[in-house]
Amino acid sequence: MKNLDKNNLSLRIAYIFESILAMVVLIAVFLGTIDVLRMIWKAYIVEFQTPVQYSQLNDLLGQILLLVIGVELVVMLSLHLPGALIEVLLYAIARKMLLLPKSEGMADVLIGVIAIAGIFAIRKYLVSNDNSNINVTSIHYEECEEGQSCEECEACREKKLQAEKLKH
């Protein structure tokens, strides 16, 4: 809530509501993970004599990708960065392509590949190079030492000072 007007009640309520929704999605992803583990236990441990069929594996991978999309959605709601939205779209398209029925033609696969290529082009040419294309694994700058927050990091403070000097 750094950039928001702290006196605007409706923006504060919207931010809190968005955070609550992100937590609800995170709880649903946790519960879905338990369901995926149960599916794996049944298919690979309990019924180990029966080979896993293509449809079972496809359902399992679809469920896992749905959980990944849920996690990326929480990241998108928390960070408010274009890069986070792009990650959600990439996983959603990949999941859709994975779950295409065998009977469908190659046109749907081609459309999916074109969509993914378009998202990569958007990421490369339209998303700025400030911190708007970071992902969960690179939230902190590489110069930050392990265990340090960005506020404590000397390199991050220097970057902020340089940015302020350029503005003036």
Side-chain angles (χ1 to χ4, degrees):
M1 251 173 67
K2 298 174 201 169
N3 301 335
L4 298 179
D5 180 19
K6 295 192 177 20
N7 296 328
N8 192 335
L9 181 64
S10 61
L11 287 177
R12 292 168 93 192
I13 292 171
Y15 181 79
I16 291 168
F17 189 63
E18 190 176 54
S19 299
I20 291 170
L21 287 176
M23 292 305 296
V24 168
V25 171
L26 207 54
I27 291 169
V29 167
F30 175 73
L31 295 174
T33 302
I34 294 171
D35 191 39
V36 166
L37 292 174
R38 193 170 39 104
M39 289 169 58
I40 292 172
W41 177 263
K42 183 180 178 204
Y44 289 97
I45 307 297
V46 174
E47 299 174 2
F48 68 93
Q49 295 96 355
T50 312
V52 177
Q53 297 177 353
Y54 171 79
S55 61
Q56 283 179 302
L57 184 61
N58 199 24
D59 291 342
L60 181 68
L61 292 176
Q63 185 77 9
I64 290 171
L65 276 174
L66 185 62
L67 295 176
V68 170
I69 291 169
V71 170
E72 290 293 331
L73 185 64
V74 170
V75 170
M76 181 188 75
L77 289 172
S78 302
L79 293 180
H80 299 129
L81 297 174
L85 174 64
I86 289 173
E87 295 288 326
V88 172
L89 290 174
L90 279 172
Y91 285 117
I93 293 169
R95 181 179 186 273
K96 181 67 177 170
M97 287 178 64
L98 178 74
L99 296 179
L100 284 174
K102 284 184 186 180
S103 61
E104 293 294 319
M106 288 302 290
D108 290 337
V109 174
L110 180 64
I111 291 171
V113 169
I114 291 170
I116 288 176
I119 288 178
F120 278 120
I122 288 170
R123 175 189 271 173
K124 180 170 175 100
Y125 297 111
L126 297 180
V127 176
S128 65
N129 287 334
D130 51 4
N131 283 334
S132 55
N133 60 353
I134 63 173
N135 57 26
V136 170
T137 58
S138 64
I139 288 176
H140 295 298
Y141 296 108
E142 285 121 10
E143 294 91 357
C144 294
E145 293 178 12
E146 197 170 313
Q148 251 184 345
S149 69
C150 269
E151 290 79 27
E152 300 168 345
C153 180
E154 184 63 33
C156 294
R157 272 189 263 145
E158 287 178 17
K159 283 185 178 182
K160 288 178 186 176
L161 287 173
Q162 288 174 358
E164 287 176 14
K165 287 179 185 176
L166 290 175
K167 286 181 183 177
H168 298 294

